[in-house]
Amino acid sequence: MIGPNGSGKTTLLEVLLGLLPVASGTVRILGQLPGETDAIAYVPQDYTAAAGSALRARDMVALGLTGTSWGFRRTTAAQWKRIEDTMRAVDAFEVIDQRLATLSGGQRQRVAIAQALVSEPKLLLLDEPLANLDLRNQREVISLLDRLNSTLGVTIIMVAHDLNPLLRVLDGAVYLLDGHAHYDTLNGVVDDALLTHLYGTPLHVVRTVQGDLFVRGE
Amino acid sequence: MRNALIGGTLVAIAAGVIGYFVVVRGTAFAAHALAHIGLPGATGAVLLGLPVTLGLAVFCVGGAIVIGALGRRAGDREVATGTVLAFAVGLGLYFSSQATRSSSTMTNVLFGNLLAISPQELVVFAAFLVGVVAVVCAVFRPLLFASVDERVARSRRVPVRALSVLFMVLLGLVVTMSVQVVGTLLLFALVVTPAATAIMLTPRPGRAIALALVLNLLSVWAGLVVATMFSLPPSFCIVTIACTIWLVVRLTGRSRQVQL
């Protein structure tokens, strides 16, 4: 989901999650009204930053699995196994017993993704998952998401500022233009005129002979 | 002395349980605020000839519902909350000045007086404690989830707003109890400090709560013993012990945190 600051990307995400009501019209997601399905998981921007030092990565991920169940019960061995498997799937098993506050930005993002994944969603929504990550971590998180998409079959929608790091994994993009949401495939989106209009600044799509694709300003 | 010991124990357990969530939710300032909002309730009750605990409970729980309904961070809107607090304390002083046996009540509410606890209050406190523990057990996981991040919890259909109000009501009850032990001015040391110490020592939620409870019991019991032995105010001894443990753990914390 792309668009300039203030175009309503996060708002649209919150509508999909049922966190915000729509003023008019109806929204259906996975065939249901927003907020009525358990098949969607959400990773907000800077998620684990707020949790501070009180919890371990393991406890944080556990909340994705057991955080919605009432009553007092222990996490079962089977649940811990699933939590550990999910931490392995996001390449963060080695930090499972560390406090969140001691983790790097990239590790925290993996923990946040693990928490979202552990409930086995069909759709994963991420708000700016690459914000505040260095280039290497950006690349690793993108590869991870790409892998989850192909191996687990999870559909992933992410809000992004910068298209470039995502171009090699994108199927298509929702873009918010003049108050309306549009969808196009990757080839349709990487278009000089569209991107220039969308971001309000001259942009060029560059295709190298090696087949690389990137967007650059003037 | 027997009443003081029983009352102190009840309060220590309740404060330990709720304190963990106060720290995790980052609502330490709200706890502090509720204690001050209770002051006019207590002195107002004396003025009207009603039990102090009733006045405290009505104001603390009332204030808690307002803060809870405004959202989790409302207690940390510093200027607005600070202004309300200043007014509440002023009002407390005014009620106190109108009552005849005012000064002793005022001191008791500000600094606590565990030795003045009555058998009737013990019964009320026991009921509060049972209620607080039962509710916390019932909502433990969703409350922790909502405490970590409201947006994610809401997207998973956890009733975040209702939990926020419920938690603040529990906090209001615990504050009502704790004011009796250490008073509004020293409440932080009983509700927040031991839980913060426990979280420094262990990141596991269950263990942290158990540890906060043990630290609270230790502070209250040892505080009472020391106070009796040396004729010191119990509140002073309890707070000193709780704060000393926190300081020691904090200063020695760096080296230990790695292996835990």
Side-chain angles (χ1 to χ4, degrees), chain A residues 53-54 99, chain B residues 15-24 26 28 188-203 207-209 211-213 215-216 242-243 245-250 253 256-257:
Chain A
S53 60
R99 289 176 192 248
Chain B
V17 170
I18 216 76
Y20 175 77
F21 285 99
V22 171
V23 175
V24 172
F188 210 85
L190 196 66
V191 176
V192 181
T193 307
T197 310
I199 287 172
M200 283 193 279
L201 287 168
T202 171
R207 284 190 191 179
I209 291 173
L211 194 56
L213 209 145
L215 290 172
N216 257 348
C243 295
I245 298 172
W246 174 82
L247 189 66
V248 169
V249 170
R250 197 179 161 88
R256 215 185 19 253
Q257 220 162 61

Side-chain angles (χ1 to χ4, degrees), chain B residues 79-157:
Chain B
V79 173
T81 314
T83 306
V84 172
L85 293 195
F87 179 66
V89 174
L91 204 59
L93 179 64
Y94 170 72
F95 288 155
S96 178
S97 72
Q98 297 298 303
T100 39
R101 55 181 189 91
S102 57
S103 65
S104 71
T105 312
M106 192 72 172
T107 311
N108 281 355
V109 175
L110 286 176
F111 298 105
N113 190 351
L114 196 45
L115 298 172
I117 210 159
S118 69
Q120 292 88 339
E121 282 172 325
L122 286 185
V123 174
V124 174
F125 284 11
F128 280 9
L129 175 63
V130 170
V132 167
V133 171
V135 174
V136 167
C137 283
V139 303
F140 187 84
R141 288 177 186 281
L143 182 62
L144 190 59
F145 201 7
S147 304
V148 169
D149 191 287
E150 292 195 346
R151 295 161 301 172
V152 174
R154 268 182 70 199
S155 81
R156 295 289 305 278
R157 294 187 287 167

Side-chain angles (χ1 to χ4, degrees), chain A residues 19 35-36 38 42 44 47 54-56 59-60 63-64 66-75 99 115 119, chain B residues 20 24 137-139 141-142 145 148-149 151-152 154-159 163 199-205 257:
Chain A
L19 298 180
E36 288 193 353
D38 282 325
Y42 170 47
Y47 180 22
L55 297 177
R56 296 168 299 172
D59 306 306
M60 184 76 178
L63 286 174
T66 61
T68 54
S69 56
W70 304 92
F72 192 76
R73 58 193 101 165
R74 296 181 69 91
T75 309
R99 289 176 192 248
Q115 190 200 45
S119 61
Chain B
Y20 175 77
V24 172
C137 283
V139 303
R141 288 177 186 281
F145 201 7
V148 169
D149 191 287
R151 295 161 301 172
V152 174
R154 268 182 70 199
S155 81
R156 295 289 305 278
R157 294 187 287 167
V158 172
L163 278 175
I199 287 172
M200 283 193 279
L201 287 168
T202 171
R204 308 175 69 145
Q257 220 162 61

